[in-house]
Amino acid sequence: MMAGCNSTFRLANPYLSDKETLYHLGISTDDNLQQRFGDVKYICLGGKNKRMENFANLLYRDLGYPENSEVDDASKPKEERKLIDITGSAGRYSMFKVGPVLSANHGIGPASLSVVLHELLKLIHFSHCNDVSFIRIGTSGGLGLEPGTVVITDTAYNGLLQPHHAQVACGKEIHYPSVTNPDLRNGLLKCALTVTKQCVIGNTLSANDFYEEQARLDGAFCSFSEDEKNAFIRRAHDEYGVKNMEMESTCFTAMCLRAGVKCGVICVALVDRLVRDNVTGVKGTGVGTDNKLKEWELLPQVICAKYIKEN
Ligand code: URA
């Protein structure tokens, strides 16, 4: 199962056949995968499709409009070519290819993320890729951090503050470790520090929902008191080194580790959860400037693009 740096990536699942449909990505093994995707070295993922399209366009410019991108019309001058959404009419996710990079969205939470990760891992298996790194660029709630701070994940903890992802299969729960690749996270930090001084490495609490599991009081329901909320967030921060909370990093890191690919997680904090629940910098919240969110969301994209360009 483990893929060495310079060896062709292989999945060990004995039930995989030569003919497979990657249903949610809208492609199959009949689509010249090795020719189209064999050069892929980075797979970048984030929640929203628009964000990942934006990231793909940013990267396309930064990498100088590489020929090995998937575009609408290769006969046009480079600057006028438009990146195409490879998933076509499949409708669940978007995916763009820019040189050696795939930029795809994963939706929200581990359920949605795991579906696209299974298919992306199958994609690099059938495409005979080697030395692929997976990077999640996302948003999060920070703990004791100014909104706009970038957090690079060391270890991802689940909502019970355990450092693993619990995968249920055939009525049993199996625990897989959820840690990022040290070289990749240190490389991302080095690069991030050239973009912003507000950047830290820390642990990430990855919850199954945005409200109760992230100890928010302002969901439709709340089963705990404000004191219990504060005690939990404090404990996560003080005892477990948790710097931010989001919804994907345990599943993401565990699946990447299991597959034997390097992975990194870089998220911007949109709110200090030691201070408030609602995301700042968004219209209507009355906290921060309305357009701050857009500016902050761009930070992981800029850092990731720079990292890819320089490595
Ligand atoms: N995403 C989350 O999961 N939590 C936050 O607080 C912000 C973004």
Side-chain angles (χ1 to χ4, degrees):
M1 169 134 44
M2 296 293 286
C5 268
N6 293 312
S7 57
T8 304
F9 175 78
R10 304 307 294 156
L11 287 166
N13 180 359
Y15 296 101
L16 285 182
S17 71
D18 295 343
K19 282 210 165 289
E20 294 276 338
T21 300
L22 309 180
Y23 171 66
H24 302 85
L25 290 178
I27 47 182
S28 80
T29 45
D30 291 336
D31 290 324
N32 295 324
L33 298 186
Q34 191 167 358
Q35 192 190 328
R36 289 172 63 194
F37 301 108
D39 59 350
V40 167
K41 296 287 179 209
Y42 293 98
I43 299 192
C44 301
L45 288 149
K48 297 179 189 170
N49 54 0
K50 275 284 157 209
R51 191 196 306 150
M52 298 318 288
E53 181 173 0
N54 190 52
F55 174 68
N57 283 319
L58 182 152
L59 202 59
Y60 192 42
R61 277 191 311 273
D62 278 9
L63 296 184
Y65 310 100
E67 288 294 340
N68 53 339
S69 306
E70 295 238 345
V71 294
D72 59 342
D73 182 355
S75 68
K76 284 188 193 166
K78 280 181 180 180
E79 295 78 1
E80 289 172 28
R81 297 174 193 169
K82 294 237 169 318
L83 296 170
I84 53 158
D85 182 348
I86 294 163
T87 67
S89 57
R92 288 281 179 194
Y93 304 94
S94 289
M95 180 165 75
F96 303 88
K97 183 171 189 290
V98 181
V101 184
L102 287 177
S103 173
N105 79 303
H106 57 58
I108 192 162
S112 167
L113 167 72
S114 78
V115 173
V116 75
L117 257 188
H118 271 279
E119 295 186 11
L120 287 167
L121 288 166
K122 286 169 71 173
L123 178 65
I124 63 168
H125 167 89
F126 289 118
S127 304
H128 297 271
C129 296
N130 60 62
D131 197 18
V132 183
S133 298
F134 283 62
I135 303 176
R136 171 172 136 69
I137 49 178
T139 56
S140 62
L143 273 65
L145 300 171
E146 278 287 308
T149 302
V150 170
V151 181
I152 293 163
T153 302
D154 180 320
T155 299
Y157 284 77
N158 65 22
L160 297 170
L161 290 169
Q162 298 161 329
H164 60 242
H165 171 59
Q167 177 65 55
V168 173
C170 296
K172 289 188 196 142
E173 197 174 270
I174 309 169
H175 295 169
Y176 294 101
S178 47
V179 64
T180 56
N181 177 275
D183 293 340
L184 187 47
R185 70 172 174 260
N186 290 326
L188 286 171
L189 177 70
K190 204 167 149 207
C191 183
L193 286 169
T194 66
V195 174
T196 173
K197 295 224 162 3
Q198 285 186 306
C199 179
V200 292
I201 285 193
N203 297 331
T204 297
L205 190 154
S206 183
N208 286 309
D209 88 296
F210 187 83
Y211 289 100
E212 284 193 284
E213 202 168 316
Q214 290 188 33
R216 281 192 158 87
L217 301 168
D218 62 347
F221 313 103
C222 189
S223 56
F224 45 85
S225 67
E226 189 166 0
D227 283 350
E228 285 172 304
K229 165 201 155 164
N230 290 333
F232 174 73
I233 295 181
R234 268 269 153 233
R235 187 159 71 94
H237 179 267
D238 297 351
E239 291 177 31
Y240 294 84
V242 170
K243 298 278 187 215
N244 65 339
M245 293 190 196
E246 40 83 283
M247 296 175 61
E248 288 85 15
S249 60
T250 46
C251 176
F252 179 73
T253 51
M255 284 183 72
C256 288
L257 264 180
R258 222 179 139 187
V261 292
K262 283 175 278 181
C263 71
V265 180
I266 172 162
C267 287
V268 66
L270 303 181
V271 53
D272 183 355
R273 291 301 319 286
L274 292 176
V275 176
R276 70 181 81 251
D277 284 349
N278 57 358
V279 165
T280 40
V282 193
K283 198 168 185 286
T285 57
V287 191
T289 327
D290 285 356
N291 286 327
K292 274 286 172 202
L293 187 71
K294 289 220 161 20
E295 193 185 309
W296 294 334
E297 272 194 6
L298 208 54
L299 277 170
Q301 298 178 43
V302 170
I303 293 163
C304 187
K306 193 160 189 258
Y307 176 82
I308 288 171
K309 202 171 161 191
E310 291 172 3
N311 283 276

